[in-house]
Amino acid sequence: MILLLAIALGIIGSYLLYISWKQNNRLAAVSGWVSLFLTVPLLVMDLGPEFGTVFALGLPALYVWLGIFREQKTQPPKHIDRQYKSTQFNGKKWLKNSGYIVYHLILLMLVSSLLVIAILDLLPLGRPNQLAAGVIIIPLVWSGLSFWHLASSKTRTPLLFSAFVSLASSIYLFV
């Protein structure tokens, strides 16, 4: 029964977020987030801390598909004539994009891992719980840092933050 209530709250929360996006309604957005956050303790009570947390983080991604199906518009296929131009090698662009790949996929993964490991080491949890929480939290921190860098107009701020956090975490963990 608690599981069904949590799923219903999640669907309602996702729908309220959809309404807030559609109508630019702040009250619907706050209500939607509150509803989604209320699903966490219900799922933890029903499924336990490990599975409840994973389901609470994963189910909203499935609820979003209801809104996607609602917004879907079918159109008849169109034949598009495209003019193809030859591909040219641009070394500067290649180096810049390679730098982005190294930064976002490798360096930010290391930074997020160091940060989460250092924070979880400060919490009074046993090693198995720290590992379980780390597996769940590291991708969230990693994607948050990457999104912050991509969305920021001043790219130096996230870069300096990442450097400071990795230095501080490394000092805490290895010294």
Side-chain angles (χ1 to χ4, degrees):
M1 186 69 179
I2 293 175
L3 182 63
L4 293 176
L5 178 63
I7 290 173
L9 270 175
I11 291 173
I12 290 169
S14 296
Y15 184 72
L16 286 171
L17 286 175
Y18 169 77
I19 294 293
S20 73
W21 167 73
K22 203 69 167 148
Q23 299 174 357
N24 200 13
N25 187 345
R26 185 173 294 223
L27 179 63
V30 171
S31 302
W33 282 114
V34 167
S35 179
L36 281 175
F37 285 129
L38 285 176
T39 63
V40 176
L42 292 174
L43 288 169
V44 167
M45 282 189 318
D46 194 47
L47 302 173
E50 291 88 6
F51 291 115
T53 307
V54 169
F55 275 92
L57 291 173
L59 284 177
L62 297 176
Y63 301 147
V64 168
W65 282 99
L66 297 173
I68 291 172
F69 287 136
R70 187 162 193 262
E71 279 296 309
Q72 180 183 5
K73 296 175 182 144
T74 57
Q75 297 176 348
K78 297 179 183 176
H79 180 68
I80 299 174
D81 292 327
R82 295 184 183 172
Q83 293 179 353
Y84 295 100
K85 60 180 184 179
S86 64
T87 306
Q88 296 176 354
F89 179 76
N90 187 345
K92 226 180 217 185
K93 207 181 246 190
W94 186 82
L95 285 174
K96 183 179 178 182
N97 290 336
S98 297
Y100 280 141
I101 289 171
V102 168
Y103 177 71
H104 286 277
L105 294 180
I106 298 171
L107 292 178
L108 283 182
M109 178 59 189
L110 292 173
V111 169
S112 62
S113 298
L114 287 171
L115 176 64
V116 169
I117 291 168
I119 289 174
L120 288 175
D121 193 51
L122 293 171
L123 296 177
L125 298 172
R127 285 289 179 212
N129 289 337
Q130 285 179 349
L131 290 172
V135 166
I136 294 169
I137 296 172
I138 285 175
L140 298 174
V141 173
W142 183 15
S143 61
L145 288 173
S146 183
F147 178 77
W148 182 28
H149 182 266
L150 292 172
S152 177
S153 60
K154 298 179 182 178
T155 56
R156 257 187 222 183
T157 307
L159 183 64
L160 290 174
F161 176 79
S162 297
F164 174 74
V165 164
S166 63
L167 181 67
S169 299
S170 297
I171 289 171
Y172 172 76
L173 290 171
F174 301 117
V175 176

